[in-house]
Every structure is written in C-alpha cells, then in structure tokens.
Amino acid sequence: SQQGEEDPQALSIQEGENATMNCSYKTSINNLQWYRQNSGRGLVHLILIRSNEREKHSGRLRVTLDTSKKSSSLLITASRAADTASYFCATETGKLIFGQGTTLQVKP
Amino acid sequence: KAGVTQTPRYLIKTRGQQVTLSCSPISGHRSVSWYQQTPGQGLQFLFEYFSETQRNKGNFPGRFSGRQFSNSRSEMNVSTLELGDSALYLCASSLALGETQYFGPGTRLLVL
C-alpha cells in the first residue's frame, strides 16, 4: 500500500514558471525524500528532509515539511524543459515507501 | 565513483520460468534495496539488505527472494513467473539504512 499521496497527479506549465507538488502521508516518519524519474529510467535523488526539519533548499528546489499535517511540498522555481519528469515523494519509516508521483511537463 | 549497476537491463521470460537479477551497489555502500515499478501499482518496496542480512521486506509473495553477498552485491530471484511480474525492477544502494538511496537504471522484465 502507498504511504504517500501526491497532488496533483499531472502538472503542465510553461518554461520559467514555478511548479509545486504536494505529498501527504499517514504515519510518523524518520525522513521524507523526493526523487525524479525520467521516462521509466532509474530514479534520481533530489532532497532528503528529516522529521525535525521544516524547510530545505537545493538550487532551484525548495522542500517543506509539516509533520503536524503530515505533508510536504516540492517547489521548483524558474522551471526548464529539462525538468519534465515524474516526481515522487518517499517516506522513510524503516523502509522507503513511495507515492504514486506527479508527472510534470514543462513546455518550452 | 561508479553508480549502481544492474544486469541485465532487459529480459524476456515466459510464464513459469524463474529469473535472477543482479545489482552492484556504489562502492562503500552496504545497504541495497529492491523495488518493483508497474504502471498500475507504482513503485513498491520489495526488500532491503544490509551486511548480508535482510532487514525489511515488502508485501510480496514468497516467489520473490533475494540475497546479499559479502561484497554488498545483491541478487533477487523470482520463481514461477507470472504475467503480472512484468515490471521495471529497480535496485538502490545507500551508505546506511534509512539514508539517501541511489538508484540503478533498472532491469525491465517482460513475462510472456
């Protein structure tokens, strides 16, 4: 069963716009991780945020975590066509459980 | 540093056969996890190994098994293949349990 649920399932934006993806989960976590996957290839790790952290940045990526609401968000600023991919949140509870993912399309 | 490698990359089998997939982790990584990805079920955790011991297991039937060797390389085996086993099988390694996982390119298995 999936621990994380992501919203929206699909997102289409223009280059230069910001993209926000949300993830909700059900149980207590050790950390929450975001991954990107291009066209059925292997996953690429983006950010890990621990349960005692509220916000983390990496380049154009910003992740927030609200453990009281059991939710996280991933913001990609100034998106590029190369950001087109599926994005997954994964909660670490002794094992890594992935959400269903958000498919992001960035149009040039 | 070389990334996670998986062999073979593509595989076609028929129902009832068995298959063994191999994963070589990043040098120094002692934890290896396996996942199955299908369009219907998404990414599902199979099992995790650390120091040759299975530390965690997902909700898959006993036909799915794995092992880890002393050099941290891992194999997973699926016996008595079913059509529904067609999937992308991903392996990931990490320095320790619960930390950032680095994924290989996957093995795409097609069961006919």
Side-chain angles (χ1 to χ4, degrees), chain A residues 3 6 12 14 18-19 29 34 36-41 46 49 57 63 69 74 86 90 94-95 97 102-104:
Chain A
Q3 152 85 309
E6 295 177 64
S12 181
Q14 295 292 136
N18 295 343
I29 61 173
W34 285 89
R36 184 186 74 224
Q37 185 179 37
N38 291 81
S39 283
R41 298 181 184 175
L46 297 175
I49 185 165
H57 296 255
V63 166
K69 294 181 179 177
L74 169 67
S86 292
K95 54 187 177 183
I97 305 297
T102 293
T103 300
L104 172 65

Side-chain angles (χ1 to χ4, degrees), chain A residues 28-68:
Chain A
S28 297
I29 61 173
N30 298 321
N31 63 62
L32 186 144
Q33 303 176 31
W34 285 89
Y35 289 83
R36 184 186 74 224
Q37 185 179 37
N38 291 81
S39 283
R41 298 181 184 175
L43 278 75
V44 174
H45 178 260
L46 297 175
I47 287 185
L48 180 155
I49 185 165
R50 302 191 186 279
S51 59
N52 60 353
E53 296 176 309
R54 292 296 167 258
E55 190 170 309
K56 217 162 179 183
H57 296 255
S58 176
R60 294 182 296 111
L61 307 180
R62 180 188 137 207
V63 166
T64 61
L65 178 64
D66 187 334
T67 53
S68 66

Side-chain angles (χ1 to χ4, degrees), chain A residues 1-2 31 33 35 37 40-43 45 48 50 88 92 94-98 100, chain B residues 35 37 40-45 48 56-57 88 90 98-101 103-105 108:
Chain A
S1 62
Q2 301 293 340
N31 63 62
Q33 303 176 31
Y35 289 83
Q37 185 179 37
R41 298 181 184 175
L43 278 75
H45 178 260
L48 180 155
R50 302 191 186 279
F88 295 89
E92 212 293 320
K95 54 187 177 183
L96 205 58
I97 305 297
F98 284 83
Q100 289 285 7
Chain B
Y35 300 85
Q37 186 177 29
Q41 298 299 317
L43 270 158
Q44 292 192 288
F45 172 79
E48 181 174 27
N56 228 321
K57 191 176 190 304
L88 180 66
L90 293 162
E99 292 303 316
T100 298
Q101 297 197 3
F103 282 78
R108 192 166 293 281

